[in-house]
Amino acid sequence: MWEHQSLFRVSAQLFAEGVFNLLDRSLRPEVFLLGFAAGREAEAPQAVVLEPASHRYSPADFRHVKNRAATLEANAGPQGSVYHLHPNDHDRSEKQHWYELVCQATESTLNELTATLGENRRSFCSAPVNLQGYLVTVVLQLAADCYEGYYSLPKPGNGRPINLPHAAVLEFMHDCSRALREADTADNDQPVLDRDYNELLRSAGRRLMLRVAPAGTHGLYDACNGVAALRHEGDEAIGTMLVSRRLHPAVVPVLTLETPVPMRDHRSIRKLLELSEGHTALISDASHVFGLGQLVPQSDSQFEPLVTVHFTNHYSWEVSHAGHVLMRVVSNTPRLPQGQVAADNFARVIRIVFPELSVDSSDYLWDLAQKATTQPNGTILVISAGAAHEAQRLTRQCFRVVPRIMTPTVLRLVTNIDGAVLIEPNGICHAIGAILDGLATAKGDSSRGSRYNSALRYVNSSKYPVLAVVVSEDGWIDLLPS
């Protein structure tokens, strides 16, 4: 299609891994390019081009995409047409509409392919870009079970994000389309996609907050960051704010301000946040705060789940809907809510690391892992076949204890201090507060904290079978090896 298509595809793949691994490593992003020759019949050679050419799909799988797009256009009828006074505007609109239909047809074809092949993949396509005689689209595939496992907002709309992973997909596709348009003029010695990963996630967070704001009011994401960054009389920003249109029937007013406070007035909003308590929250339409109120009981006929912003800590806040956390923001960095470790994933990993472990022992370790994930300040639970020897080796870097069976209650107490808890697969504890060591590894992640990287080094260097449950302070939960 063009000279540097391989470079672009590799750059897009690395970009996708950098972005989506920050959200959830189980998303496993895969990127490839698909090009449709503008002036060739579907059966002609090079009518459809795949990059890489050795992909598991073949060009023949996509030869009917343009016919399917034409069918979609015919089915849309006159109501799908928009007429403009200026001919150039009309041509531009028609071309954009055709590109959108090609994108829809490509996604439909990919969904059929993945279903036929039994692949656990969810596919997304960027808006096609006309590049040297080809309509080129970027295809992103994510693990379907992981992507669909996150809560989604109701009433999805075209181009409107339903959750943070979807918002990140939309931002990623926007960047890919922009880079494709610049492919002819950009300096190809430089990466074509080099935006900071966290900056893309911040843009995704803004896009999601725009989606939940009444009437699509801009600025809610940055306003929440501004409020969370402030202190009032030395106290951190802790409180709740309901986001709804004014005079919403599901909100019972408790106190109404005569003059609503603009959301850009962060200091005043931070002060008013002190009034929220229990079920009583600030009420905002994303533009102003106009008082205090409470959500009606769920049994009330007027009840409707509303978006709630919880200010949880200094520089920390989260957004939820119907009791499900959509996004957690720490230091202006959006992240997915990291809940409990999945039971099936833990059971799978523990069987790989300790194949001779009994079902009862595995279930007991699962109970301990669940308790470790509730530690708000983060911790590391290390399950090692050589826990006794490791406790002796790390004598000067831990608090050795008289060997005893570790219980969830005791685990909650001992994880209040820094360091790892060393236990054997049978649940016997040998040390607490252990400072882990290990050799540097290429698998390290500079975007993660010292707790994660020290556990990763330890697991990779250990001469004993070992499984580490890492709970980071910012809410991340990892199983190592994953």
Side-chain angles (χ1 to χ4, degrees):
M1 295 180 287
W2 83 99
E3 181 182 359
H4 298 284
Q5 64 186 38
S6 297
L7 171 64
F8 182 91
R9 201 270 309 172
V10 171
S11 176
Q13 176 67 43
L14 295 174
F15 189 50
E17 291 174 0
V19 170
F20 292 99
N21 283 349
L22 284 178
L23 288 179
D24 191 329
R25 283 174 172 76
S26 298
L27 287 169
R28 302 196 310 276
E30 180 185 2
V31 176
F32 63 93
L33 305 182
L34 193 58
F36 303 97
R40 300 186 188 182
E41 297 297 328
E43 306 295 338
Q46 296 297 306
V48 180
V49 176
L50 274 169
E51 170 60 44
S54 59
H55 200 273
R56 64 183 181 279
Y57 303 141
S58 70
D61 294 327
F62 302 94
R63 63 188 177 193
H64 297 304
V65 165
K66 289 197 288 186
N67 291 337
R68 175 175 281 188
T71 303
L72 290 173
E73 186 175 35
N75 292 339
Q79 67 272 18
S81 302
V82 178
Y83 296 94
H84 300 268
L85 293 176
H86 197 284
N88 289 343
D89 291 339
H90 182 71
D91 291 344
R92 190 181 300 112
S93 176
E94 288 289 301
K95 184 182 294 185
Q96 185 61 37
H97 180 57
W98 171 247
Y99 288 173
E100 291 172 358
L101 293 175
V102 170
C103 184
Q104 293 176 26
T106 305
E107 287 190 358
S108 299
T109 302
L110 281 164
N111 290 335
E112 292 175 1
L113 274 174
T114 54
T116 302
L117 298 174
E119 295 178 330
N120 175 36
R121 307 301 280 166
R122 176 70 182 272
S123 303
F124 305 90
C125 299
S126 69
V129 174
N130 197 335
L131 189 60
Q132 298 189 14
Y134 281 88
L135 283 183
V136 183
T137 183
V138 178
V139 178
L140 169 69
Q141 291 188 318
L142 302 174
D145 56 349
C146 179
Y147 177 83
E148 294 167 1
Y150 288 100
Y151 176 77
S152 301
L153 290 168
K155 301 178 182 179
N158 186 27
R160 303 174 67 200
I162 57 176
N163 52 26
L164 184 59
H166 188 209
V169 167
L170 294 176
E171 282 293 322
F172 174 81
M173 290 306 188
H174 176 78
D175 275 23
C176 286
S177 294
R178 174 193 53 77
L180 275 176
R181 286 192 294 269
E182 297 172 354
D184 279 339
T185 58
D187 181 0
N188 288 298
D189 292 331
Q190 300 297 324
V192 288
L193 287 164
D194 56 358
R195 189 180 181 189
D196 181 76
Y197 304 145
N198 284 314
E199 176 54 37
L200 184 141
L201 292 179
R202 283 190 281 271
S203 295
R206 291 186 181 93
R207 188 185 285 259
L208 180 62
M209 294 302 282
L210 180 63
R211 160 75 166 84
V212 303
T217 306
H218 289 266
L220 183 57
Y221 177 90
D222 294 305
C224 291
N225 269 325
V227 173
L230 296 176
R231 296 178 182 269
H232 178 67
E233 296 181 353
D235 293 334
E236 298 176 335
I238 297 177
T240 308
M241 181 173 68
L242 283 173
V243 181
S244 75
R245 68 179 187 273
R246 195 163 190 178
L247 302 178
H248 195 292
V251 177
V252 179
V254 174
L255 189 69
T256 303
L257 297 174
E258 188 173 271
T259 304
V261 178
M263 283 297 297
R264 65 177 179 272
D265 187 353
H266 302 161
R267 193 164 296 280
S268 295
I269 301 297
R270 170 66 190 89
K271 190 171 184 178
L272 288 172
L273 198 62
E274 294 293 312
L275 303 178
S276 66
E277 185 179 61
H279 297 292
T280 304
L282 293 184
I283 309 299
S284 171
D285 61 358
S287 178
H288 293 79
V289 167
F290 42 83
L292 290 169
Q294 296 179 350
L295 201 61
V296 299
Q298 194 166 350
S299 56
D300 194 299
S301 60
Q302 300 288 341
F303 177 81
E304 177 186 333
L306 297 179
V307 170
T308 306
V309 179
H310 301 276
F311 295 93
T312 56
N313 214 326
H314 196 213
Y315 287 112
S316 302
W317 55 281
E318 61 187 33
V319 185
S320 61
H321 181 268
H324 300 274
V325 178
L326 290 168
M327 173 176 67
R328 179 171 290 122
V329 181
V330 179
S331 299
N332 193 20
T333 305
R335 290 290 185 266
L336 285 168
Q338 300 294 318
Q340 303 292 331
V341 175
D344 55 348
N345 188 40
F346 182 85
R348 177 184 63 84
V349 176
I350 203 92
R351 282 195 303 270
I352 294 173
V353 178
F354 306 108
E356 298 180 359
L357 195 65
S358 68
V359 175
D360 289 341
S361 296
S362 177
D363 290 342
Y364 190 78
L365 292 176
W366 164 242
D367 291 338
L368 292 179
Q370 281 188 300
K371 178 57 67 175
T373 60
T374 63
Q375 172 55 256
N377 296 322
T379 189
I380 305 175
L381 175 65
V382 175
I383 306 167
S384 172
H389 297 289
E390 288 294 277
Q392 184 175 3
R393 183 178 70 84
L394 299 173
T395 295
R396 294 185 177 276
Q397 298 174 212
C398 69
F399 296 102
R400 296 180 63 186
V401 299
V402 176
R404 59 151 293 162
I405 187 75
M406 178 57 67
T407 65
T409 302
V410 175
L411 183 65
R412 181 182 62 82
L413 296 175
V414 300
T415 53
N416 284 327
I417 62 173
D418 291 338
V421 179
L422 288 174
I423 65 172
E424 293 180 328
N426 58 10
I428 300 297
C429 177
H430 291 272
I432 63 174
I435 306 302
L436 302 178
D437 57 8
L439 300 175
T441 170
K443 297 179 181 179
D445 187 346
S446 59
S447 68
R448 302 295 304 276
S450 58
R451 180 179 283 117
Y452 170 84
N453 282 290
S454 64
L456 183 65
R457 288 194 299 270
Y458 179 81
V459 169
N460 285 347
S461 303
S462 178
K463 62 181 180 180
Y464 303 103
V466 60
L467 172 65
V469 180
V470 184
V471 183
S472 300
E473 192 171 353
D474 58 6
W476 282 66
I477 298 172
D478 295 277
L479 291 179
L480 298 175
S482 58

